[in-house]
Amino acid sequence: MKIKVCKPFWSYDVQKTEEWLSSMSEKGHELIELNRLTRYFIFQQGEQRKRLYKIGFDKVQKKSLSSFLSHNGWAMVLQSGNWYVAANDKPSNEIESYPVRENIIKHNKKIMYLFGSISIYLTVIVLFYLLIGFVLSSKVQFGFVKSPLWIITFLSAGMGIMLWSLSFYSITKIKRSNKRLLGESNHSLESNYSQESRRQEEERPSRDEIKRIRRSGQIVVKRRYAWTYAPDKLEKWLETMEENGLNLYYVGKTGSTFYFKKGTPRKVSYCADYQNYVDEDYYTFHKEAGWKLIYFTPFNFQIWTLWSHEYAIGEEPPHIYSDKSNQLKHAKRIAATYSCISIPIVVVHLLKIGEYSQLLHIQNFDLSQIVQSLLNILVVCIFGSFTIRTWLYYRRLRSL
């Protein structure tokens, strides 16, 4: 006899899922199959026993566990895609090693950041239109007009609310789960990141120090917005500033304000590096290679770091990505990431523009509809330019 149990959000909290699987084993239900699409766990009747389950995630397809884990009593129960379930019949106090949790944390973070982008986008759009409605309400007489397209509006609103609720729930669930997984495995990714964050805050000059130097005329302030879409241009610009005797002093918290100190011309190689995640050796490796960390983004996902490396005249400029294939992979990852973020936004607003064009055949536009149409066009242009700029960056590197 088979038993099917649906767990829609089992991957968001693998520890609770593991506890549930252990309780099912104690009741005599033996796990035999996992359907990732339908989210069903399938059991068959077996003997009652105390069994410890651990869920793992590994992109490298493996039909068996490592010999080290097998030696400690772990056995592969099933595998579904990149997910696998391992079990151990030993008492927990006799188990010396456990499956690695790092890949689950990384996988869950990707999902969390996806839902985070969706929720931020939906929230900003709602607040934006509420603000526009509030501003125009004092100047324009609003009213409801019957339209065959109202059903689309209501369906879109309903789907938006459901998607926002799902995003909020998923983010909350995954953050709690990852926190427990980090504590369980004594993981060092976030602790290492926190150490770098504290170090950067300690090295950042105080406001009084900045004001004093700016009053003395030694500081030149420049701003570069949205440089993440063309990091090669930022690197070239910083290197040119150094050659002109403007030495980079520090970078503002937002990453768009650059403070230069008037000094002597020097040769400095800059690298703006993008990573989804950084492990505990990331900062150490680059520092040991002679690179100095200038700036990194104040959030621990989609991490941008800015590195500098001074070298002598006549020497070959150092590069973090010395191999062209690695440079292209890095650039392609940037372009693909920002395309995944920008293209859905562009498509949604193009559909809205199409909806307004359909309304134009039914009735005349009022002022609010004209403003909304212009705003949609503006959003399409802005996010479309982000996508285009990143792929142009990739194209420039490929043509070198």
Side-chain angles (χ1 to χ4, degrees):
M1 179 180 176
K2 291 185 178 181
I3 300 174
K4 295 173 67 176
V5 182
C6 183
K7 289 281 187 179
F9 303 102
W10 66 266
S11 60
Y12 291 178
D13 194 343
V14 294
Q15 288 179 313
K16 285 190 175 181
T17 305
E18 292 162 353
E19 293 172 1
W20 170 72
L21 290 174
S22 296
S23 67
M24 292 293 286
S25 180
E26 292 178 5
K27 296 175 183 177
H29 302 308
E30 183 180 349
L31 179 65
I32 59 173
E33 187 179 344
L34 166 62
N35 190 318
R36 291 180 299 116
L37 182 62
T38 60
R39 319 298 285 179
Y40 271 101
F41 288 83
I42 302 174
F43 302 84
Q44 69 179 9
Q45 196 64 35
E47 62 180 32
Q48 296 181 359
R49 56 179 170 176
K50 284 192 174 183
R51 203 175 201 192
L52 183 64
Y53 283 93
K54 288 295 178 181
I55 298 173
F57 184 88
D58 195 341
K59 290 184 178 180
V60 180
Q61 298 293 330
K62 296 179 180 179
K63 294 183 179 180
S64 61
L65 298 173
S66 66
S67 58
F68 183 70
L69 289 175
S70 298
H71 179 72
N72 277 272
W74 291 101
M76 183 83 77
V77 175
L78 59 84
Q79 186 170 5
S80 180
N82 296 326
W83 292 93
Y84 66 87
V85 179
N88 199 323
D89 294 325
K90 287 184 176 182
S92 58
N93 59 352
E94 296 181 9
I95 302 174
E96 298 178 357
S97 62
Y98 295 85
V100 177
R101 316 293 256 179
E102 179 179 336
N103 290 332
I104 296 180
I105 296 171
K106 289 182 177 181
H107 173 75
N108 283 350
K109 277 187 174 183
K110 289 180 181 179
I111 298 175
M112 185 175 68
Y113 300 145
L114 173 63
F115 280 121
S117 300
I118 293 172
S119 61
I120 291 172
Y121 169 71
L122 292 174
T123 302
V124 169
I125 288 297
V126 170
L127 293 177
F128 187 74
Y129 280 115
L130 286 175
L131 178 62
I132 293 298
F134 177 76
V135 172
L136 294 178
S137 61
S138 59
K139 302 178 181 180
V140 180
Q141 185 84 24
F142 286 95
F144 292 97
V145 180
K146 291 183 178 180
S147 169
L149 298 177
W150 272 110
I151 185 64
I152 298 177
T153 303
F154 287 127
L155 285 175
S156 300
M159 290 176 63
I161 293 172
M162 291 176 61
L163 187 57
W164 188 91
S165 302
L166 175 63
S167 300
F168 180 79
Y169 174 81
S170 300
I171 293 169
T172 305
K173 193 88 171 176
I174 291 173
K175 284 185 71 174
R176 291 175 181 173
S177 176
N178 277 5
K179 187 176 181 179
R180 287 194 294 270
L181 289 173
L182 284 164
E184 172 193 278
S185 59
N186 195 24
H187 203 272
S188 58
L189 290 180
E190 292 198 358
S191 61
N192 185 73
Y193 184 88
S194 299
Q195 290 172 7
E196 288 296 332
S197 180
R198 288 194 296 270
R199 185 198 63 76
Q200 189 184 50
E201 286 298 323
E202 291 172 358
E203 293 182 357
R204 187 182 298 275
S206 65
R207 290 185 178 181
D208 293 337
E209 178 69 12
I210 294 171
K211 288 180 181 179
R212 185 186 67 78
I213 297 177
R214 292 190 69 175
R215 282 197 296 267
S216 67
Q218 299 177 28
I219 291 291
V220 176
V221 182
K222 300 285 185 179
R223 289 178 173 82
R224 298 281 289 197
Y225 299 103
W227 56 262
T228 55
Y229 303 103
D232 59 328
K233 291 186 176 181
L234 174 75
E235 295 166 357
K236 183 63 178 175
W237 175 67
L238 290 173
E239 290 166 4
T240 302
M241 297 292 281
E242 293 284 357
E243 291 175 356
N244 293 333
L246 293 176
N247 310 136
L248 184 61
Y249 182 45
Y250 83 102
V251 182
K253 290 184 178 181
T254 61
S256 58
T257 306
F258 295 81
Y259 295 81
F260 297 89
K261 196 179 243 186
K262 294 178 181 179
T264 57
R266 59 181 185 174
K267 290 288 186 179
V268 181
S269 181
Y270 283 92
C271 178
D273 187 32
Y274 168 80
Q275 299 289 331
N276 289 321
Y277 308 99
V278 292
D279 59 24
E280 57 186 357
D281 297 324
Y282 175 79
Y283 298 105
T284 303
F285 177 80
H286 291 314
K287 288 176 180 178
E288 289 179 351
W291 291 89
K292 180 182 178 183
L293 180 62
I294 302 297
Y295 171 80
F296 68 98
T297 47
F299 35 82
N300 63 347
F301 69 97
Q302 293 191 353
I303 298 171
W304 277 97
T305 52
L306 182 60
W307 300 88
S308 70
H309 193 310
E310 189 172 358
Y311 61 100
I313 297 175
E315 289 183 356
E316 187 72 20
H319 300 283
I320 285 182
Y321 295 96
S322 56
D323 185 72
K324 186 173 181 179
S325 62
N326 290 331
Q327 291 180 345
L328 290 176
K329 286 180 182 178
H330 179 251
K332 194 172 185 179
R333 185 169 71 249
I334 294 172
T337 300
Y338 283 113
S339 295
C340 290
I341 296 172
S342 299
I343 289 177
I345 297 174
V346 170
V347 171
V348 168
H349 286 273
L350 283 175
L351 291 174
K352 289 183 179 181
I353 294 171
E355 181 181 339
Y356 286 127
S357 65
Q358 291 291 329
L359 287 173
L360 183 62
H361 297 289
I362 302 173
Q363 60 183 18
N364 294 326
F365 272 139
D366 58 26
L367 180 58
S368 64
Q369 291 172 331
I370 293 174
V371 171
Q372 290 179 19
S373 297
L374 292 175
L375 290 174
N376 285 320
I377 293 172
L378 180 62
V379 169
V380 169
C381 292
I382 292 174
F383 284 92
S385 69
F386 291 163
T387 303
I388 293 171
R389 288 179 65 188
T390 55
W391 285 107
L392 287 175
Y393 162 56
Y394 172 73
R395 183 181 177 182
R396 285 194 299 271
L397 288 186
R398 194 175 64 175
S399 62
L400 291 177

